[in-house]
Amino acid sequence: MKKFRILLAFLLVVSFALEACNNSEKSTGSGDGKNNKESSKAAKLEIFSWWTGAGEEDGLLALLDLFSEEYPDIKVENAAVAGGAGTNAKAVLASRMQGNDPPSTFQVHGGEELNASWVAAGKMEPLNDLYESEGWNDKFPQDLIDMVSKDGKIYSVPVNIHRSNVLWYNKKIFEENGLQPPATFDEFFAVSEQLKDKGITPLALGDKEPWTATHIFENILLAKLGPDDYKKLWTGDISFKDDRVVKSAEIFAKMIGYINDDHSSRNWQDASQLVANGEAAMNIMGDWAKGYFVNDLKLKVNEDFGYVVTPETDGYFMVITDTFGLPKGVKNPDDVKKFLGVLGSVEGQDAFNPLKGSIPARIDAEVSKYDEYGKAAMDDFKASKLTPSLAHGSAAPEGFLTRVNQAVNIFVTQKDVDQFINALETAAQELK
Amino acid sequence: MEPAKTVHVNQQPIIQVKKRKKLTTDRWMSILFLIPSVILIAIFVYGFIGWTGYVSVSNWNTIVPDFSFAGMKNYLYLLNDFRFQADLRNTLAFTVLFIALVIILGMGLAILLDQKLVRGESIFRNIFFFPMALSFVVTGVVWQWILNPSTGINLFLKNFGIEPKWYTDTNILAGFEWGKIEFGLPVAIIAVVIAAVWQMTGFALAMYLAGLRGIPDDIREAARMDGCTEFQLYRKIIIPLLKPITVSVIIMMAHISLKIFDLIYAMTGPGANFVTDVPGVNMFETTFRGNYYANGAAIAIIMLLSVAIFIVPYLWSNRKGES
Amino acid sequence: MGISKIRRPLLYIVLILFSFFFLIPVYVMLVTSVKPLDEVNLADMWSLPSALDFSSYSEAFGKLAPNLLNSFYLVIPATIISALLGAMNGYVISKWKFKGSEIVFTGILFGMFIPYQSILIPLIQFLREMGLYNTITGLVFVHVVYGIPITTLMFRNFFANIPDEMIESAKMDGAGFLGIFRYMILPLSISGFVVVGIWQFTNIWNEFLFAATITQSDQQPIMVALQNLSGSQIVQWNVQMAGALIAALPTLLVYIFLGKYFVRGLLAGSVKG
């Protein structure tokens, strides 16, 4: 009995000590403890994004300034998470959402990246009433609204548009060799042969992060299937065993025959550099590459480098869009809606996009605020059929994309079409 | 939990009682000292391993937790997965090469440094030891540049007409079809091994130096008297005497290499065709980038088992040897 | 004697060759980090800089300074707490053995060898529940817990060298468990604390997996920030090399000034019995 009592006393002491440790650890945190966070959140509007790079951060700050002018009473907190082109931010977001501690609003690529995750999990509020009251339903292209909707409900507000299906080329190389930028795959291969004979790497690729190769593949798929059937791939209505997919894989394999040897040690910037300094002639990359060419490498559009749409995708526009939504369970949903209102307004989009180097998601923005490339892209955006990007999470759930990236990584080395198609088909079982 | 300490029998009864009581409080105190750690380890090592095991047989392969029972599905998926098969191949190749080179270099340099002929021994020793103070991340960042096929050391080697592709090489030496992959020695792994050996040779060297210092000079003298050449002396006597150290080095290096993550993550990533991918990197990307938590947990459990195969017998034999 | 005349130069040649291998990265790091950006290109990688330019250090330092501070906030408490816990455990396990204490010890020790991937998923769930996810405090806690096995092992081996007779005679003199620990063991184990402290400092400073998964951006310790430096826009190799040197400097300094203890820690942590 006595022993038992001692044991009990002892357990008490231990649990007490542990508790004390715990408390002290919490309070000695660097001002970022849970209590702290929660008290500040009630008052503040927390804008969660991964915009920390040069132009994009400026854009975000301009947007926040604009919001503060209109609503000086609402305190805004820029909760941007750096690193890994958004992968770090997504990990933090996942952790916070799983812990029922959502930020007031967060950046997410429009499409399945949101729909298949947080919308499917029932953690997002629909925004149809906001679209109604702001009169947005005819201000964004219908294709785009469809992309950010699920079962008729709209879940996020697009702020910007990037284009995926762009082929960048070194103007000097093309002029010196009397070449025209390719519009079809046949032309692409003809040009590539000539370049290869001259000792110039035809196509630059940096697939240290495998999405860059997937990025090429999605644009071949778009070319071969067309926008409508391309979209059906992600709903399971068209199988990956389809002849046109096989054909796409064959073209992809052939294209890979023209890339630089050290592709796996480069990232997309390193690959773009090859084009910039004339070691390679062409590069397929989203139009954020323009910002890299112009701002970081100090090159001039249509002088040092040129651009065309990727082969056989004229009239199509592969969309990457950053959007913001309203998570369930935030304490200040009305403030969030006010922010989304500014984000979706012409002023908001025109404050953000020229700095970020993207184009507005609205079709009625002020064209004069954008550069030469931007103006052309805005025209295309209005006139083209819009399709969601696979490589950037809009077309299909993240899990499927992971599998595709793996299959692509293997394919770039092995160029085994059958194996590749099988891997895609297996991965596609998760789409249903 | 009765104190097992014996009490001195020849003491007077009254003192004995006192002693006994004192020992009891001391005993409780000693357990009090130990218990926080024991609880922490029980929860955070064993409990969490159990929880990971539970996740690995669940359906949590989405962004939202789903703990419904999935059976061995995640394990079966891995065993049929190209990437995971490549991981196993790479880990095996890496482990074998890495351990062999660390032992050869570590022992060789230790023997050289142990010669009484060398002056400035401490300078050399410090040069060989210092990489151990560095992080695998720093090592990875630096060697990534040195072994980059279009920058690095190739600028030198070009003059001799060789330009290895280092970690971008996708060839498999002595390859043959096995499962979904080509089994063999991935050339790219050699680049990673070089960086790892650079970092960890000092470890083996330090151990062997300590071992060599522990071998009494009379043994060498006696052997020399018997007409042993220096070579024979080492081959027949010294190296066998160092065997316990070799075992320790192998164990330490094996568990490092089976767990390796940061070096490869910082230096090459998974690589083209997964030629430099390892389970550690795969687990990280699968779980925290692809949100396949259950698959990631299964990878982690397989990693744990592969380490346990080495470690448990080692710990067991050590424990026996002590008591 | 004749043999040694040939052998000695041969020995030196071999050792110097290996020294080159070990010093190549240092050379590359140093040389690149003091070059201006326009000299950092493929062709000039191995050549010395035309003039010393320390701007990459200020740039790297500017980017990494907050993370450097994080690392100190992390390493110092984690090292002290885990060393104390290790000393307590080592004391009991070496000097107050009880039935099953070796099994407990082996059980603790196993925690040193596990791949941390195998506890990572529950760990993150746990930290989130406690509100410690993405905090330095959480990371301190993690390093304390998973530092217990190695510090326990080191202190146990260290205390094993203190003769049992001393403890026994202290007991005869009426000293109790705490008294012996406080007045006898602790004063004797200053060098033990130095060895364990250096070892933990180095390991926690250099650790990457926990740091990369538990903390993000402004909470990250320096090693993760260094790795992220390469993932941003243009890879400025001079800045990156300067960053690598800055990140490595604290542990390198410890090694240079206290190298003896470092190696002792390494030996204490790897072999037993």
Side-chain angles (χ1 to χ4, degrees), chain A residues 10 98 208 262 399 403 430, chain B residues 32 63 77 144 150 292 295:
Chain A
F10 166 73
Q98 285 167 10
K208 190 174 183 192
D262 61 352
R403 298 275 187 255
E430 298 193 14
Chain B
L32 191 72
I63 208 156
Y77 172 82
Q144 177 193 19
S150 44
Y292 288 96
N295 270 347

Side-chain angles (χ1 to χ4, degrees), chain A residues 325-394:
Chain A
L326 173 58
K328 277 189 183 154
V330 298
K331 293 191 175 108
N332 42 1
D334 293 332
D335 291 354
V336 176
K337 282 191 179 173
K338 283 174 193 157
F339 176 76
L340 295 179
V342 172
L343 188 83
S345 68
V346 173
E347 298 74 34
Q349 305 229 326
D350 284 347
F352 176 81
N353 285 305
L355 291 169
K356 158 91 165 122
S358 44
I359 62 167
R362 287 178 72 116
I363 44 181
D364 57 349
E366 180 56 52
V367 184
S368 64
K369 293 200 166 167
Y370 295 85
D371 64 7
E372 191 186 344
Y373 172 84
K375 284 173 187 155
M378 284 163 84
D379 284 342
D380 280 0
F381 179 63
K382 277 174 231 170
S384 303
K385 290 225 171 200
L386 309 184
T387 50
S389 159
L390 169 66
H392 302 277
S394 297

Side-chain angles (χ1 to χ4, degrees), chain C residues 199-217:
Chain C
W199 186 256
Q200 281 298 85
F201 179 90
T202 310
N203 275 347
I204 299 173
W205 187 273
N206 290 341
E207 201 275 341
F208 183 74
L209 180 65
F210 285 139
T213 44
I214 291 170
T215 57
Q216 308 292 343
S217 52

Side-chain angles (χ1 to χ4, degrees), chain A residues 2-3 6-7 10-11 13-14 18 87-88 91 94-95 98 113 116-118 121 123 207-208 261-266 398-403 405-407 409-414 419 426 430, chain B residues 1-2 21 28 31-32 35-36 39-40 60 62-65 77 81-83 144 148-150 165 167-168 170 180 266-274 282 285-286 288-293 295:
Chain A
K2 196 178 171 193
K3 246 194 240 167
I6 298 174
L7 185 75
F10 166 73
L11 280 177
V13 170
V14 169
L18 282 176
T87 48
N88 289 352
S95 170
Q98 285 167 10
E113 189 173 310
S117 58
W118 305 121
K123 300 215 174 210
D207 66 345
K208 190 174 183 192
D261 268 350
D262 61 352
H263 58 94
S264 65
S265 69
R266 291 175 182 266
E398 196 117 19
F400 173 76
L401 175 58
T402 309
R403 298 275 187 255
N405 280 337
Q406 281 194 21
N409 187 18
I410 297 165
F411 183 71
V412 169
T413 301
Q414 301 200 343
Q419 193 194 25
T426 313
E430 298 193 14
Chain B
M1 281 292 154
E2 193 65 21
K21 203 176 170 196
W28 281 118
I31 292 174
L32 191 72
I35 212 90
I39 290 176
L40 287 174
W60 186 11
T62 46
I63 208 156
V64 188
Y77 172 82
D81 182 31
F82 178 94
R83 179 170 186 179
Q144 177 193 19
N148 187 314
S150 44
K165 290 165 78 182
Y167 54 84
T168 63
T170 51
K180 292 201 165 173
M267 186 171 164
T268 65
N273 207 19
F274 298 112
N282 190 353
E285 295 198 336
T286 302
F288 300 109
R289 298 298 176 249
N291 294 317
Y292 288 96
Y293 286 83
N295 270 347

Side-chain angles (χ1 to χ4, degrees), chain C:
Chain C
M1 273 330 266
I3 303 172
S4 77
K5 260 189 193 144
I6 319 165
R7 267 178 57 199
R8 186 176 295 189
L10 210 71
L11 257 177
Y12 276 114
I13 290 171
V14 174
L15 286 174
I16 288 170
L17 276 179
F18 274 104
S19 300
F20 270 123
F21 169 66
F22 278 87
L23 291 175
I24 286 175
V26 180
Y27 173 82
V28 170
M29 257 158 95
L30 276 175
V31 163
T32 311
S33 65
V34 295
K35 278 179 187 172
L37 185 58
D38 55 343
E39 275 181 46
V40 183
N41 55 38
L42 313 185
D44 299 331
M45 171 173 171
W46 299 97
S47 53
L48 288 165
S50 59
L52 289 185
D53 179 347
F54 290 100
S55 61
S56 45
Y57 279 91
S58 55
E59 190 173 333
F61 189 76
K63 281 185 182 158
L64 296 177
N67 307 95
L68 199 65
L69 261 185
N70 285 345
S71 277
F72 280 110
Y73 289 142
L74 160 67
V75 168
I76 292 167
T79 301
I80 293 171
I81 300 172
S82 67
L84 273 176
L85 280 174
M88 287 160 65
N89 299 338
Y91 173 52
V92 174
I93 285 168
S94 62
K95 295 300 171 213
W96 293 83
K97 293 198 175 90
F98 53 88
K99 217 175 162 203
S101 65
E102 279 302 306
I103 292 178
V104 169
F105 173 60
T106 309
I108 291 179
L109 206 55
F110 182 66
M112 171 178 149
F113 296 99
I114 58 164
Y116 293 130
Q117 281 87 352
S118 63
I119 46 90
L120 206 50
I121 295 172
L123 182 67
I124 288 172
Q125 287 182 287
F126 169 83
L127 290 174
R128 201 171 53 222
E129 290 302 317
M130 305 300 289
L132 291 174
Y133 179 77
N134 198 16
T135 62
I136 296 291
T137 316
L139 208 49
V140 169
F141 177 76
V142 168
H143 280 293
V144 167
V145 171
Y146 296 103
I148 288 174
I150 182 83
T151 55
T152 301
L153 167 67
M154 284 176 151
F155 274 111
R156 171 191 166 277
N157 289 355
F158 187 80
F159 294 151
N161 293 329
I162 297 175
D164 285 344
E165 292 76 37
M166 283 175 75
I167 310 279
E168 285 306 320
S169 68
K171 278 186 208 163
M172 297 287 257
D173 295 343
F177 176 86
L178 277 180
I180 295 172
F181 186 61
R182 170 71 188 80
Y183 295 107
M184 200 165 129
I185 298 286
L186 284 187
L188 279 175
S189 53
I190 303 294
S191 68
F193 271 97
V194 173
V195 168
V196 172
I198 287 175
W199 186 256
Q200 281 298 85
F201 179 90
T202 310
N203 275 347
I204 299 173
W205 187 273
N206 290 341
E207 201 275 341
F208 183 74
L209 180 65
F210 285 139
T213 44
I214 291 170
T215 57
Q216 308 292 343
S217 52
D218 57 345
Q219 296 291 310
Q220 279 170 342
I222 187 146
M223 284 307 155
V224 191
L226 174 68
Q227 155 71 14
N228 282 346
L229 214 56
S230 69
S232 53
Q233 295 292 311
I234 314 180
V235 182
Q236 296 175 310
W237 281 108
N238 54 346
V239 175
Q240 184 139 19
M241 292 296 144
L245 269 179
I246 291 173
L249 203 59
T251 52
L252 270 183
L253 286 179
V254 165
Y255 171 74
I256 288 167
F257 291 112
L258 299 164
K260 211 170 61 189
Y261 295 99
F262 178 81
V263 175
R264 265 174 60 187
L266 180 147
L267 297 175
S270 53
V271 227
K272 30 181 244 90

